[in-house]
């Protein structure tokens, strides 16, 4: 690998993308931005291009590409602007790229993330939906290409840090009894149950500890985020769903734990700032400064834990069942959730209807095996259509 690593940031204008660029900018001697992508907020993407001077930028359509290309040429940059999913896959798998940050939100990130995996890159995985959808296929591609897959999700990054380096021998073989996946419980952890159907998108997006994109913020409020993370952890660490216990820990200081057969429990702690897992994955196995301040245990003062309540968080039950069912079910769960969350953010459904829609879709659509990318995409499409039908049936 060259001494300066060339980085492709997919989803550069988002919360994870911007945190990644913040860490990169602290280490110009180690990292150079090779490509940036954005889907909306293209004025911000242009400003990021002016700051980081990437070789490529990727936008959703040709008109936006012409506009951005004109602006960049006017500013004296030779950045080439590419278009759409094809452009994303091209930069993610480009021979001159060393590291790909997969930080597009949702199913839209699947193909570009897979392109990076298939090209054998160091892949920093924030886009959990891609792995949830295509689990077996995705992990198979990692093994086949020799890609280095490093988790950005703070919980999975914590688990990775608490496991021995040879954990791929199998969790039992390295003495792991359970993985304890922590969750903040989100903004509605203590909201009276009867008020949950009245909560607004603004309330759902006001996460107590983390500042994130809107989709993952709603997922955190419903705890579907933890459900997706449970499925993500099964694939990343070759765990059975029963080996993973979700623990509500409202302070978000412990980012997850690994429980060993001898009674040792290892945890990773830190301030809730995504620049820590990003810096870890960028520099692994070394360590670099992330810009995150040192954890002050005296101001944290206490750490609380409680079991999740499945009546309050039905999405968690649905996701665990999907993890156990396997096949196309996690992809359908994810797709139905994406449609439902978008409808909630547009104020077309109530917060509590997110789980209702997902359960309805999973009850209607039969599970299939998903051995090819086409099968994954077909399952995703079936579930989206089914969720949209729910909306139509209910006049939303
Ligand atoms: P965000 O909404 O802030 O950013 C999403 C990025 O994806 C933006 O750059 C946007 O332009 C791009 N994008 C959106 N739709 C797209 C499409 N159809 N095609 C191409 N690009 C598209 O989201 P985020 O909070 O940065 O989250 C990104 C991913 O990281 C998600 O999968 C999320 O679950 C995961 N993640 C985020 C956090 C966090 O703290 N924000 C933590 C853990 C995991
Ligand atoms: Mg997480």
């Amino acid at each position: 690998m060259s001494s300066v690593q060339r980085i492709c940031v997919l989803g550069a204008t988002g919360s994870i993308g911007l945190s990644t660029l913040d860490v990169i900018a602290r280490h110009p001697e180690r990292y150079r931005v090779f490509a940036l992508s954005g889907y909306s907020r293209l004025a911000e993407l242009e400003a990021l291009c002016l700051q980081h001077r990437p070789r490529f930028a990727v936008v959703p359509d040709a008109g936006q590409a012409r506009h951005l290309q004109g602006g960049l040429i006017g500013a004296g940059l030779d950045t080439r602007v590419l278009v759409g999913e094809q452009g994303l896959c091209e930069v993610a798998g480009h021979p001159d790229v060393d590291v790909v940050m997969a930080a597009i939100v949702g199913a839209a990130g699947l193909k570009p993330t897979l392109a990076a995996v298939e090209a054998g890159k160091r892949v920093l995985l924030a886009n959990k939906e891609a792995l949830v959808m295509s689990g077996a296929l995705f992990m198979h591609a990692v093994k086949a290409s020799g890609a280095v897959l490093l988790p950005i999700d703070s919980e999975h990054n914590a688990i990775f840090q608490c496991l021995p380096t040879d954990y791929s021998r199998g969790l039992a073989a390295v003495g792991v009894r359970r993985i304890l996946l922590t969750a903040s419980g989100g903004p509605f952890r203590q909201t009276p149950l009867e008020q949950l159907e009245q909560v607004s998108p603004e309330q759902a997006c006001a996460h107590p500890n983390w500042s994130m994109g809107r989709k993952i913020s709603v997922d955190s409020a419903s705890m579907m985020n933890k459900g997706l993370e449970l499925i993500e952890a099964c694939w990343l660490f070759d765990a059975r769903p029963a080996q993973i216990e979700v623990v509500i820990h409202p302070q978000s200081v412990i980012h997850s734990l690994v429980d060993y057969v001898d009674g040792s429990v290892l945890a990773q702690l830190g301030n809730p700032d995504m620049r820590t897992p990003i810096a870890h994955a960028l520099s692994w196995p070394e360590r670099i400064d992330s810009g995150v301040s040192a954890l002050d245990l005296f101001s944290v003062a206490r750490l609380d834990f409680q079991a999740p309540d499945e009546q309050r968080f039905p999405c968690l039950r649905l996701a665990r069942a999907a993890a156990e069912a396997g096949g196309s079910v996690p992809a359908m769960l994810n797709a139905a959730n994406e449609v439902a969350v978008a409808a909630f953010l547009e104020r077309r459904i109530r917060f509590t209807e997110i789980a209702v829609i997902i359960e309805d879709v999973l009850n209607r659509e039969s599970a299939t095996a998903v051995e090819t990318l086409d099968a994954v995409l077909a399952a995703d499409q079936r579930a989206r259509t089914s969720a949209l039908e729910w909306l139509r049936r209910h006049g939303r």
Side-chain angles (χ1 to χ4, degrees), residues 133-192:
M133 292 172 74
S134 69
L137 208 84
F138 190 111
M139 296 310 290
H140 183 76
V142 169
K143 288 204 185 84
S145 70
V148 176
L149 181 63
L150 294 164
I152 293 300
D153 228 328
S154 56
E155 298 76 3
H156 305 72
N157 186 270
I159 294 161
F160 179 83
Q161 294 196 47
C162 295
L163 285 170
T165 49
D166 61 344
Y167 71 85
S168 61
R169 292 199 290 127
L171 291 183
V174 298
V176 171
R177 180 157 47 199
R178 295 179 301 170
I179 288 172
L180 301 169
L181 187 66
T182 55
S184 69
F188 305 140
R189 184 173 55 90
Q190 294 174 308
T191 306

Side-chain angles (χ1 to χ4, degrees), residues 38-121:
Y39 191 72
S40 54
R41 299 199 231 149
L42 295 186
E44 284 173 42
L45 182 64
E46 181 164 356
L48 293 173
C49 287
L50 295 178
Q51 186 187 346
H52 295 280
R53 311 179 77 85
R55 182 115 63 93
F56 293 101
V58 189
V59 297
D61 71 53
Q64 289 161 325
R66 273 194 299 279
H67 183 81
L68 178 61
Q69 188 71 77
L72 295 177
I73 290 172
L77 257 66
D78 58 4
T79 302
R80 262 189 65 205
V81 183
L82 305 180
V83 180
E85 191 166 70
Q86 201 185 333
L88 292 170
C89 291
E90 185 178 332
V91 295
H94 195 287
D96 292 346
V97 166
D98 301 298
V99 181
V100 175
M101 166 53 83
I104 290 174
V105 59
L110 174 60
K111 281 191 190 171
T113 306
L114 272 179
V117 166
E118 282 162 3
K121 305 301 184 191

Side-chain angles (χ1 to χ4, degrees), residues 3 88 125 129-130 161 179 195 208 266 293 306 312:
S3 56
L88 292 170
L125 184 71
E129 296 92 344
Q161 294 196 47
I179 288 172
Q195 287 175 22
L266 302 193
S293 56
Q306 69 187 75
R312 178 179 294 276

Side-chain angles (χ1 to χ4, degrees), residues 265-326:
V265 179
L266 302 193
Q268 186 257 3
L269 287 73
N271 287 318
D273 186 321
M274 291 306 292
R275 290 176 302 172
T276 294
I278 290 166
H280 171 267
L282 273 172
S283 62
W284 178 85
E286 296 173 16
R287 297 269 180 180
I288 56 170
D289 173 33
S290 63
V292 177
S293 56
L295 179 64
D296 178 0
L297 280 175
F298 300 118
S299 75
V300 173
R302 56 179 287 176
L303 301 172
D304 293 308
F305 306 96
Q306 69 187 75
D309 169 358
E310 287 198 346
Q311 199 192 341
R312 178 179 294 276
F313 299 115
C315 286
L316 197 51
R317 166 178 58 81
L318 295 171
R320 190 176 277 281
E324 276 155 8

